[in-house]
Amino acid sequence: MNNSLNFDKQHIWHPYASMQNPLDVELVKSAHGVYLELEDGKKLIDGMSSWWSAIHGYNVPELNQAITNQLTSMSHVMFGGLTHSPAINLAKTLVDITDKTLEHVFFSDSGSVSVEVAMKMALQYHHSLKNIKKTKFLSLKKGYHGDTFGAMSVCDPVTGMHSIFQDVLHQNLFAPSPTCKYGEECKNEDIAEFREILKTNHHNIAAVILEPIVQGAGGMNIYSPDFLKKVKKLCDEFDILLIFDEIATGFGRTGKLFAYEHAGVIPDILCVGKAITGGYMSLAATLTNKKVVQGVEADGNILMHGPTFMGNPLACSVANASLQLLLNSPWQERVDSIQKNLHVELKKCEKLEIVKEVRTLGAIGVVELNRNVDLAWMSKEFVKEGVWVRPFLNLVYIMPPFIISEDELKKLTSALYNVIVKFEQLPK
Ligand SMILES: *Cc1c(COP(=O)(O)O)cnc(C)c1O
């Protein structure tokens, strides 16, 4: 085995992986456009956008330039008592492209932290307003909000991958994952349990937190915008803040710039991350409205958070370049075209016995199987097919860079079909 791969195997943890018995990993030498190039020269079409983030693909001249330029003036300064134009410009853009009520921006270094900040905002809001019993969150089963402790406490207790921590986590409430599908109406019975939980527990609930329209890493569920409208109504009725986690869905992935636009429902607090820098650096932001700010600061309090790398200029400058690139591109047509192709091509999988359901929205395609995949086997098969796809549990899914060509997308969806057919034929 390659020396560096051997070192990797012995010393480096990978996400959700064993240190002592790790699965093989691929050594990536470089990445260009939609392609990841491996050490042996093999090129893979990236179906994952490096977990939702690389929407423009890799090695993008405009983004490279933005970082290089920023590097020569300043790579970082602390944000306490100081500010700079990369952060100011980025905040301007974020305020501009989100709903007009979302006008205050808190920068942090990762999606999970932006969720922690959102939760603190909600808790401090009620604390300052003397609603001292409002300390719990209501979220959805199949939800995923990150890996830090606050975020873990609102992830699905089972599929959220954090069941080991159950006893030490803040005990929150969970409503069923929405079953009304995108494009269908949400009946009263679809929201009945959610309503029941709110009705019984609203005195103790600070906020509802959920991923609008598409639940990502907790189950790749795509649901009706109607559900959000009903949630919003209930939150208003019971004086509960609404937090949308758009870390995966933000910046065009679902066909709208933000997924909440499908429903026209505006949250009190919005978390964005992942694609914000086009996948170049780790950065996230929590946006909120005047009501939350005034609530938090009632009684002379202030928001208690301040990461060392808050508003990092390199990350902000590449985010500015990435957002300009996105907004000046025909992103909507690109995502619509990906959606059409995913819909047509992945539908073919539905005829296979092993396939339970195919779901597509925007530049997201999900094939849910009747049984869990063999990750080690399937990863190797995808590499053989010349694509990079990383399934989890029984979900084989893709969210390619928006710049993928029709031919490349065809190759990706064919690979999905071929590998699933092969998997079906394997002995169980
Ligand atoms: C990835 C993700 C997070 C966590 O973001 P990190 O940058 O990995 O900390 C939170 N919520 C959602 C919906 C995500 O997809």
Side-chain angles (χ1 to χ4, degrees):
M1 187 189 284
N2 177 307
N3 264 344
S4 31
L5 270 180
N6 209 17
F7 184 91
D8 186 292
K9 196 161 215 159
Q10 284 170 18
H11 298 280
I12 310 179
W13 252 299
H14 283 266
Y16 293 99
S18 164
M19 185 69 263
Q20 298 184 88
N21 288 303
L23 300 181
D24 289 344
V25 291
E26 304 292 339
L27 188 53
V28 184
K29 185 165 64 179
S30 67
H32 274 270
V34 292
Y35 290 95
L36 306 179
E37 189 177 343
L38 303 184
E39 191 56 31
D40 64 7
K42 195 170 173 55
K43 286 185 173 176
L44 309 180
I45 295 175
D46 179 20
M48 306 305 287
S49 297
S50 285
W51 278 333
W52 310 87
S53 63
I55 52 176
H56 310 293
Y58 300 90
N59 230 314
V60 185
E62 293 88 338
L63 305 191
N64 293 356
Q65 193 61 51
I67 291 207
T68 317
N69 289 351
Q70 185 55 43
L71 199 53
T72 55
S73 58
M74 103 186 119
S75 53
H76 185 65
V77 291
M78 63 189 274
F79 215 50
L82 301 174
T83 193
H84 43 76
S85 47
I88 295 167
N89 292 338
L90 179 56
K92 268 188 191 159
T93 305
L94 291 174
V95 166
D96 197 39
I97 63 178
T98 55
D99 184 76
K100 61 179 186 313
T101 57
L102 298 168
E103 50 181 322
H104 302 281
V105 184
F106 191 105
F107 288 118
S108 54
D109 21 31
S110 76
S112 301
V113 176
S114 77
V115 169
E116 301 285 333
V117 170
M119 294 173 76
K120 277 193 184 176
M121 283 179 183
L123 291 174
Q124 285 199 236
Y125 172 88
H126 289 295
H127 183 269
S128 296
L129 293 175
K130 308 278 188 271
N131 303 325
I132 50 165
K133 285 199 194 140
K134 284 186 170 274
T135 58
K136 286 186 189 292
F137 292 87
L138 170 59
S139 64
L140 301 177
K141 290 193 180 150
K142 291 198 185 168
Y144 177 77
H145 298 286
D147 289 352
T148 51
F149 272 78
M152 281 200 293
S153 76
V154 289
C155 288
D156 184 298
V158 182
T159 68
M161 309 180 267
H162 303 128
S163 51
I164 294 172
F165 303 104
Q166 233 16 322
D167 294 342
V168 293
L169 289 178
H170 189 54
Q171 292 302 304
N172 290 314
L173 300 155
F174 295 90
S177 173
T179 48
C180 38
K181 296 191 200 317
Y182 187 91
E184 292 174 8
E185 99 182 276
C186 170
K187 303 204 183 62
N188 280 336
E189 72 209 44
D190 293 322
I191 191 97
E193 204 167 327
F194 187 99
R195 176 183 290 121
E196 225 21 68
I197 295 173
L198 269 195
K199 236 179 164 169
T200 319
N201 300 283
H202 66 95
H203 296 296
N204 302 114
I205 298 176
V208 164
I209 176 167
L210 53 78
E211 298 152 279
I213 308 295
V214 180
Q215 295 188 287
M220 299 302 296
N221 182 33
I222 303 175
Y223 64 89
S224 169
D226 247 17
F227 185 85
L228 292 182
K229 291 185 193 161
K230 295 200 149 79
V231 164
K232 169 72 179 156
K233 232 176 137 196
L234 289 166
C235 286
D236 288 345
E237 191 180 329
F238 291 108
D239 183 27
I240 283 166
L241 295 175
L242 183 55
I243 304 172
F244 283 173
D245 176 350
E246 293 233 23
I247 292 163
T249 50
F251 308 110
R253 179 57 66 181
T254 68
K256 304 275 188 194
L257 205 47
F258 295 97
Y260 68 70
E261 295 171 22
H262 289 277
V265 170
I266 315 301
D268 295 292
I269 302 173
L270 175 71
C271 298
V272 294
K274 289 198 164 113
I276 191 172
T277 63
Y280 266 57
M281 296 183 74
S282 185
L283 180 73
T286 311
L287 281 80
T288 192
N289 57 25
K290 276 232 143 47
K291 172 180 138 177
V292 170
V293 169
Q294 286 165 355
V296 166
E297 299 190 1
D299 220 21
N301 291 320
I302 48 170
L303 185 68
M304 300 310 281
H305 209 90
T308 305
F309 288 96
M310 186 169 183
N312 174 257
L314 285 175
C316 288
S317 62
V318 74
N320 284 321
S322 172
L323 293 181
Q324 289 322 312
L325 192 58
L326 177 71
L327 298 170
N328 293 330
S329 75
W331 64 269
Q332 204 139 22
E333 288 92 88
R334 283 176 180 162
V335 172
D336 285 350
S337 149
I338 293 172
Q339 162 158 314
K340 285 194 191 87
N341 286 309
L342 286 178
H343 183 76
V344 172
E345 294 302 323
L346 294 184
K347 271 287 163 202
K348 295 174 184 166
C349 297
E350 228 161 34
K351 298 196 185 75
L352 302 170
E353 200 155 322
I354 194 168
V355 172
K356 188 167 164 198
E357 192 179 53
V358 172
R359 305 187 278 273
T360 53
L361 181 70
I364 307 166
V366 185
V367 182
E368 181 170 352
L369 307 182
N370 287 319
R371 57 183 152 104
N372 287 357
V373 305
D374 174 342
L375 182 58
W377 176 87
M378 201 172 264
S379 303
K380 285 254 179 323
E381 289 299 315
F382 279 126
V383 171
K384 277 192 220 158
E385 291 269 346
V387 303
W388 180 244
V389 178
R390 192 169 169 82
F392 72 89
L393 304 176
N394 62 336
L395 297 163
V396 186
Y397 64 106
I398 48 178
M399 56 280 193
F402 299 167
I403 53 135
I404 194 167
S405 74
E406 217 158 299
D407 285 348
E408 289 157 346
L409 186 57
K410 185 82 207 281
K411 190 164 173 205
L412 189 56
T413 51
S414 304
L416 230 67
Y417 183 85
N418 295 343
V419 171
I420 291 171
V421 166
K422 259 195 183 173
F423 181 62
E424 186 173 50
Q425 290 157 357
L426 282 187
K428 280 183 207 164

